[in-house]
Amino acid sequence: MANPQPTAPHGPERRELILRAAVREGLLDPEEARLAAFLDLDAVAATVDSLHRAFPGPVEVLHAFAAKANCLVPVLERLRTLGMGCEVASPGEFAQALAAGFEPARIVFDSPAKTRRELARALDLGVAVNVDNWQELARIDELLTTRRTRSRFGVRVNPQIGAGAIGAMSTATATSKFGITPAEDGNTGRLVAAFRDRPWLGWLHCHVGSQGCPPDLMAEGVAATVALARTINAELGRRQVVGLDIGGGLPVNFADDRVTPDYPDYVQRLRAHAPDLLTGEFRLVTEFGRSVLAKNGFTAAYVEYTKTSGGRAIAITSAGVQVATRTVFAPEAWPLRVTAHDPTGAAKHGEPVEQDVAGPACFAGDLVAEARPLPLLEPGDLVALLDTGAYYTSTPFSYNSLLEPAVYGAAVAADGAVCFETLRRAQTVEELLDRTGG
Ligand SMILES: *Cc1c(COP(=O)(O)O)cnc(C)c1O
């Protein structure tokens, strides 16, 4: 078993073990490395294993990791060795997936804005393509007049089942920018005709939502897509839709260490709403991102100064908007847990005091937590921002020219020894100058 603590892969003891080892080894240093991110590689392996086990035979399934959730090539590489494919949505992610060694047949290309050149490249390599709209379909028709390809093609549909708790993360609202809406304007008939005229179209794709969408809502969207596949096959009198890409979007619990919902919970919801999905009638692709990594990573930063303003205790740290962009700009939608540690990385104990945990950026809103009860922080202490393995340090924001921190993978041996691997070096001032024309 890859994970020595299968019952608590994300627990506080394990984080503390990693944090203390990072301080001992100088990966965190009050002068040289005030901020760094960590990914628990054993926990990642356990999560991917639970994903594979949640979708049992006879269904044939490719779990394609959504690269935008953490696009570091060594992370993608590791997910590849754990048996995942990769979902990409830009030329950059495409290049990262290839650099990570994914076979083209295990890469899925989604994006609502694929250019002719990007599509031609995908077809030449044999990458799977999910078509977002009618105009893109016409572009592919055009490309196919001059080339042969091993790509498989799907059409992204929007089942318009409604929004979750976070509007920006809800991809299946009535007016979402993604996909074709089968329920509108005779689109179902048009889709049937499109499949009839194009024997190479064999898949349907939906990605109904992300963080904030209840699993039942997502499962309803998947069920609507299964029903559409059936309709198309029945109308054509042949098994033309052979596969369903059901997207990602499993929400992550940012409130405590429990994994809720987990993959088996979601599969149970899928079975309840779409009993035909897992019979083996259709091949499947999934595109989970956040749920694969979020809870397996944390970000650590030193406290530089502390003060009191208007009666509020404030700790100024090195972690702010540059590594926790969504949390800083939309704190209600993206709250993060913060833990307090002494300079060795050991958990701080003590009466909780309401404190603001602030970042280094020059705007007042650069707070990763507001009025948060924590043991009183002092200069030289460390804070850890939890559940940041996806969409945080891997997606930096270059405000104030704050440098991108290093990201380390950690593996914990049975005896508690921690072994680190560099997933991304810290950005240097020279690299910043070069990028900014210096
Ligand atoms: C973002 C995205 C995903 C992954 O979503 P998560 O919430 O990270 O699981 C999957 N598919 C598509 C098309 C996406 O845009």
Side-chain angles (χ1 to χ4, degrees):
M1 189 65 201
N3 182 357
Q5 291 169 293
T7 51
H10 323 285
E13 296 80 16
R14 204 176 157 86
R15 281 191 297 268
E16 197 177 318
L17 203 64
I18 294 171
L19 197 53
R20 295 177 73 146
V23 172
R24 275 199 310 275
E25 293 197 19
L27 305 183
L28 284 163
D29 180 89
E31 290 304 330
E32 303 302 327
R34 302 195 49 81
L35 170 68
F38 299 88
L39 201 57
D40 182 337
L41 299 176
D42 304 319
V44 170
T47 302
V48 173
D49 184 48
S50 75
L51 172 59
H52 280 122
R53 280 186 290 113
F55 287 80
V59 63
E60 185 192 327
V61 50
L62 171 68
H63 295 292
F65 175 72
K68 72 175 183 282
N70 190 325
C71 57
L72 302 183
V73 173
V75 172
L76 299 179
E77 217 168 353
R78 180 157 295 256
L79 294 170
R80 174 176 62 74
T81 62
L82 293 171
M84 295 194 79
C86 193
E87 185 263 354
V88 302
S90 73
E93 289 178 359
F94 202 155
Q96 286 161 329
L98 291 172
F102 286 99
E103 285 168 41
R106 294 176 69 81
I107 299 176
V108 179
F109 187 22
D110 293 337
S111 156
K114 306 176 194 81
T115 66
R116 275 193 187 81
R117 186 177 299 173
E118 288 162 25
L119 284 168
R121 178 115 196 283
L123 269 55
D124 289 342
L125 288 173
V127 162
V129 175
N130 285 320
V131 178
D132 180 82
N133 56 66
W134 299 116
Q135 291 172 359
E136 186 185 332
L137 190 59
R139 268 190 191 177
I140 291 173
D141 286 339
E142 208 181 286
L143 287 167
L144 286 176
T145 58
T146 56
R147 41 167 64 67
R148 296 167 67 86
T149 177
R150 288 155 64 166
S151 294
R152 49 184 180 68
F153 294 93
V155 174
R156 180 165 182 171
V157 293
N158 171 8
Q160 295 174 298
I161 39 89
I166 308 175
M169 307 305 290
S170 302
T171 41
T173 58
T175 57
S176 164
K177 75 171 180 178
F178 295 108
I180 289 172
T181 49
E184 288 186 317
D185 305 333
N187 275 346
T188 293
R190 219 174 145 192
L191 280 167
V192 170
F195 276 77
R196 177 187 305 117
D197 299 343
R198 296 172 184 78
W200 43 267
L201 272 181
W203 285 65
L204 287 175
H205 172 221
C206 68
H207 170 66
V208 177
S210 281
Q211 190 65 20
C213 278
D216 272 313
L217 187 73
M218 292 169 34
E220 263 177 55
V222 172
T225 309
V226 176
L228 178 63
R230 285 249 150 110
T231 301
I232 293 171
N233 287 351
E235 291 280 329
L236 301 186
R238 59 181 190 244
R239 229 180 122 251
Q240 183 163 342
V241 180
V242 294
L244 300 167
D245 179 338
I246 63 170
L250 192 68
V252 164
N253 166 27
F254 286 97
D256 58 41
D257 278 319
R258 288 169 310 144
V259 178
T260 53
D262 62 9
Y263 294 120
D265 294 334
Y266 185 42
V267 169
Q268 198 180 26
R269 298 330 300 153
L270 287 172
R271 281 188 202 281
H273 289 271
D276 302 335
L277 183 70
L278 301 166
T279 56
E281 177 183 348
F282 297 104
R283 289 163 62 193
L284 291 187
V285 167
T286 72
E287 304 171 343
F288 296 106
R290 180 176 291 103
S291 55
V292 178
L293 294 184
K295 297 198 78 64
N296 299 325
F298 66 90
T299 304
Y302 280 97
V303 176
E304 190 78 49
Y305 297 108
T306 57
K307 60 170 78 168
T308 308
S309 288
R312 171 75 54 81
I314 302 168
I316 296 167
T317 79
S318 301
V321 72
Q322 85 276 35
V323 289
T325 315
R326 279 176 172 163
T327 295
V328 166
F329 286 123
E332 287 78 26
W334 300 101
L336 281 180
R337 291 183 292 155
V338 177
T339 52
H341 303 263
D342 72 16
T344 71
K348 270 189 95 144
H349 300 285
E351 261 323 286
V353 178
E354 280 197 356
Q355 292 164 82
D356 285 0
V357 181
C362 292
F363 71 99
D366 187 26
L367 304 173
V368 296
E370 234 181 312
R372 185 72 58 86
L374 288 172
L376 191 63
L377 290 162
E378 295 160 277
D381 283 346
L382 285 155
V383 291
L385 318 187
L386 308 190
D387 309 323
T388 56
Y391 297 100
Y392 279 85
T393 22
S394 60
T395 315
F397 182 53
S398 53
Y399 193 88
N400 271 152
S401 294
L402 288 159
L403 298 175
E404 295 173 31
V407 182
Y408 299 102
V412 183
D415 65 357
V418 183
C419 181
F420 291 103
E421 159 189 341
T422 303
L423 301 173
R424 179 180 76 188
R425 281 183 307 100
Q427 189 183 22
T428 63
V429 171
E430 290 69 33
E431 286 164 344
L432 172 79
L433 278 177
D434 184 49
R435 179 77 190 97
T436 49

